[in-house]
Amino acid sequence: MSARDSVMNSQSALVSAIYGHSSDQIFDTNGLTVYQNSLAANADRALAISFPTIQQLVGEQGFSHLSNAFLHDFPLIRGDWGEWGREFPAWLEANEQLQDYPYFSDCAQLDWCCHVSERATDETLDVESLGLLADGHAYQLKLRCSSSVKLVTSAYPIVDIWNAHHLYEGEAQTAEHALALAAQNLAQQAAQNALVWRPQWKAQVRAISTAEILWYHLLQQGESIGAALDELHDSDFSFESWLPDALSQGIVCGIDNIDNSSL
């Protein structure tokens, strides 16, 4: 065995021991504990940044327990804690201890979408491409959505729950009302679709109709404006009302000609 292979094997054994995947007693117990405590603390902080709603729902102590268990099942492979946690929503859904809280998974998915949206590449409006609307045919044009746009469909009032835990810091009366609304809609099993986007530096969340989330899905699939509108012809969706807001909010960043290259 070469010296390089020996070093790599030692590093692999150390990582395995730190994550608790090995019972070998080849490392100093005290030193190993220091590594493990540091790893757990970093994981807890990273996961709390990515999933703040879940942390508030279960409390700091409960969240630390979840983060430690998740870290054991999904150890950090890459060096960026910001990319760690993608599997957390599905992991919560499969967690038998949380079966009485089935909405946790969708709340976590919404948190993750906000986290990813805030890490997305900055984009500016391609003003020149808007001229295609005047000259082009709707079936030959498609809208270019910002990469910060994310969608979540849920059987639970995830937007109300998110609002109750994020929008009203320092406003006790408003926060109390938001929590009451979320609790009421949760009891009534009110479903909500969530739109996530980032107009500036902070991700925004709002509830959207079934028709509107279908519209966004069609746009993200590359459908033309005309074909997407045909899919929504029986709904009350208004392209004329939607477009100005989508442009001003940074949801749409340009228009492409399907037959030719993007402008």
Side-chain angles (χ1 to χ4, degrees):
M1 179 183 296
S2 67
R4 180 175 180 273
D5 289 339
S6 179
V7 170
M8 292 183 64
N9 286 341
S10 296
Q11 290 176 339
S12 177
L14 176 59
V15 170
S16 182
I18 291 172
Y19 279 102
H21 295 161
S22 172
S23 58
D24 294 340
Q25 301 298 319
I26 61 175
F27 300 104
D28 176 70
T29 302
N30 292 331
L32 194 60
T33 299
V34 172
Y35 276 115
Q36 290 172 332
N37 290 341
S38 176
L39 179 66
N42 287 333
D44 196 9
R45 284 192 294 268
L47 214 62
I49 291 171
S50 301
F51 300 95
T53 307
I54 301 301
Q55 186 193 43
Q56 293 183 59
L57 284 169
V58 303
E60 291 187 5
Q61 185 174 355
F63 191 80
S64 292
H65 173 75
L66 290 176
S67 69
N68 285 336
F70 179 72
L71 180 64
H72 180 272
D73 292 345
F74 291 92
L76 177 67
I77 303 300
R78 302 191 181 111
D80 185 357
W81 282 109
E83 296 181 0
W84 180 69
R86 183 180 303 276
E87 300 88 356
F88 191 58
W91 183 85
L92 289 175
E93 185 176 21
N95 191 317
E96 293 182 358
Q97 297 179 347
L98 299 176
Q99 294 306 301
D100 291 338
Y101 307 95
Y103 55 93
F104 275 16
S105 177
D106 288 353
C107 288
Q109 186 62 43
L110 181 53
D111 272 348
W112 182 253
C113 284
C114 291
H115 175 68
V116 172
S117 180
E118 290 177 357
R119 291 168 61 89
T121 303
D122 291 334
E123 294 172 288
T124 57
L125 177 62
D126 183 357
V127 178
E128 182 181 354
S129 71
L130 300 183
L132 287 172
L133 283 175
D135 303 328
H137 193 284
Y139 291 92
Q140 299 300 322
L141 303 177
K142 62 181 180 180
L143 294 171
R144 195 187 317 153
C145 287
S146 165
S147 59
S148 71
V149 172
K150 309 297 176 185
L151 305 167
V152 183
T153 299
S154 176
Y156 306 98
I158 55 171
V159 176
D160 289 340
I161 296 171
W162 191 92
N163 285 339
H165 292 87
H166 292 273
L167 297 183
Y168 307 108
E169 296 179 7
E171 302 178 20
Q173 186 174 2
T174 308
E176 184 178 346
H177 172 74
L179 285 169
L181 178 63
Q184 174 185 328
N185 287 338
L186 189 59
Q188 295 176 353
Q189 297 182 333
Q192 282 185 326
N193 303 307
L195 167 69
V196 178
W197 81 104
R198 196 194 76 223
Q200 296 179 354
W201 63 275
K202 184 71 173 176
Q204 303 295 309
V205 175
R206 75 169 178 230
I208 57 177
S209 66
T210 301
E212 192 169 352
I213 198 169
L214 173 59
W215 168 254
Y216 279 108
H217 280 306
L218 292 170
L219 296 186
Q220 290 184 337
Q221 291 167 10
E223 289 284 357
S224 71
I225 296 174
L229 287 174
D230 286 345
E231 291 284 339
L232 274 69
H233 71 281
D234 288 331
S235 73
D236 58 358
F237 177 79
S238 170
F239 177 72
E240 291 76 12
S241 299
W242 172 85
L243 184 60
D245 181 64
L247 292 171
S248 65
Q249 290 292 314
I251 294 173
V252 168
C253 57
I255 299 172
D256 296 332
N257 191 314
I258 293 177
D259 287 344
N260 301 308
S261 60
S262 301
L263 292 186

